[in-house]
Amino acid sequence: MPVYINKSEFTASTGKMYYMWRKKAGRTVVIYLGNRSMDFLEFMDNIKNNCEGLKEIRITSKKSAFIEREIRGYLEGKSKEINLKVEFMTGTKFQKKIWQKLNLVSYGQTISYRKLADMAGYRGAWRPAGSALKSNPVLLAVPCHRVVKSDGSPGRFKGGRKLKKLLLELEKSG
């Protein structure tokens, strides 16, 4: 039985956003959210070729007003939460644990790479934790922009340093 995944894009206050989603148990579930077309295309190829247990994946173009409304509300400072259910269809056990623990970092708060690794039970694995964030398939919904260097400087971000600084300022002022 095929698995249907929807893909779309929209323009937000920060620029173009790309996303993939599907309905699961009657809920909208986000599989991918990002701001770079090359990452989006790479993720789509990865999903098609590497999802164990899914025999056939069909990707169709279809928008989700719900997802777009949630992202726009957050980026415009109207909402402090992105109420999206996330499904990790890619990633190692380590990466998924890092991403899950990152969801415990509240709006307006930051955490160091070292502290995030410790929270996930991987004491001292701050570099691998940083690498896991580079593979985060759902920017904003899994708030990797809230992870900073131990000295408080922003560090890198899959969505770009400019966007990371903007998101940190948005949360700081909100």
Side-chain angles (χ1 to χ4, degrees), residues 78-166:
K78 296 175 183 173
S79 174
K80 292 183 179 184
E81 290 185 35
I82 298 175
N83 293 310
L84 298 174
K85 181 160 176 52
V86 173
E87 178 181 11
F88 299 121
M89 293 183 81
T90 61
T92 65
K93 181 180 174 184
F94 173 81
Q95 288 171 328
K96 290 175 183 179
K97 181 117 184 213
I98 293 293
W99 301 335
Q100 289 165 346
K101 289 298 179 182
L102 185 51
N103 278 324
L104 300 175
V105 180
S106 301
Y107 183 95
Q109 302 297 309
T110 58
I111 188 172
S112 70
Y113 294 95
R114 184 177 311 277
K115 179 72 174 164
L116 177 60
D118 288 352
M119 277 177 50
Y122 297 101
R123 186 170 177 82
W126 57 274
R127 284 182 190 242
S131 293
L133 298 181
K134 286 192 282 187
S135 299
N136 174 10
V138 258
L139 295 184
L140 308 179
V142 175
C144 54
H145 61 278
R146 295 179 187 154
V147 182
V148 297
K149 292 182 175 182
S150 293
D151 66 5
S153 61
R156 294 187 177 174
F157 180 58
K158 185 176 182 176
R161 287 185 185 189
K162 182 178 176 182
L163 180 58
K164 182 170 187 167
K165 287 179 182 179
L166 184 141

Side-chain angles (χ1 to χ4, degrees), residues 4-172:
Y4 292 92
I5 297 175
N6 305 293
K7 68 177 176 96
S8 194
E9 60 187 60
F10 68 102
T11 302
S13 59
T14 57
K16 183 109 31 183
M17 298 296 291
Y18 304 88
Y19 63 100
M20 294 179 76
W21 63 284
R22 71 178 178 145
K23 286 288 188 181
K24 188 173 182 182
R27 295 187 66 188
T28 298
V29 179
V30 179
I31 298 163
Y32 177 87
L33 177 64
N35 66 336
R36 296 181 179 196
S37 62
M38 291 303 294
D39 291 343
F40 181 56
L41 295 172
E42 185 178 307
F43 185 83
M44 254 192 298
D45 284 341
N46 194 13
I47 287 291
K48 288 178 191 174
N49 299 323
N50 298 313
C51 279
E52 295 176 19
L54 299 179
K55 293 184 176 166
E56 184 181 354
I57 295 177
R58 293 191 183 157
I59 298 176
T60 59
S61 294
K62 186 175 180 182
K63 289 193 168 288
S64 168
F66 173 69
I67 292 171
E68 293 182 21
R69 187 173 48 252
E70 286 292 312
I71 299 305
R72 281 192 176 108
Y74 167 77
L75 292 173
E76 293 168 5
K78 296 175 183 173
S79 174
K80 292 183 179 184
E81 290 185 35
I82 298 175
N83 293 310
L84 298 174
K85 181 160 176 52
V86 173
E87 178 181 11
F88 299 121
M89 293 183 81
T90 61
T92 65
K93 181 180 174 184
F94 173 81
Q95 288 171 328
K96 290 175 183 179
K97 181 117 184 213
I98 293 293
W99 301 335
Q100 289 165 346
K101 289 298 179 182
L102 185 51
N103 278 324
L104 300 175
V105 180
S106 301
Y107 183 95
Q109 302 297 309
T110 58
I111 188 172
S112 70
Y113 294 95
R114 184 177 311 277
K115 179 72 174 164
L116 177 60
D118 288 352
M119 277 177 50
Y122 297 101
R123 186 170 177 82
W126 57 274
R127 284 182 190 242
S131 293
L133 298 181
K134 286 192 282 187
S135 299
N136 174 10
V138 258
L139 295 184
L140 308 179
V142 175
C144 54
H145 61 278
R146 295 179 187 154
V147 182
V148 297
K149 292 182 175 182
S150 293
D151 66 5
S153 61
R156 294 187 177 174
F157 180 58
K158 185 176 182 176
R161 287 185 185 189
K162 182 178 176 182
L163 180 58
K164 182 170 187 167
K165 287 179 182 179
L166 184 141
L167 295 171
L168 290 171
E169 283 300 315
L170 172 72
E171 292 190 5
K172 187 177 179 182

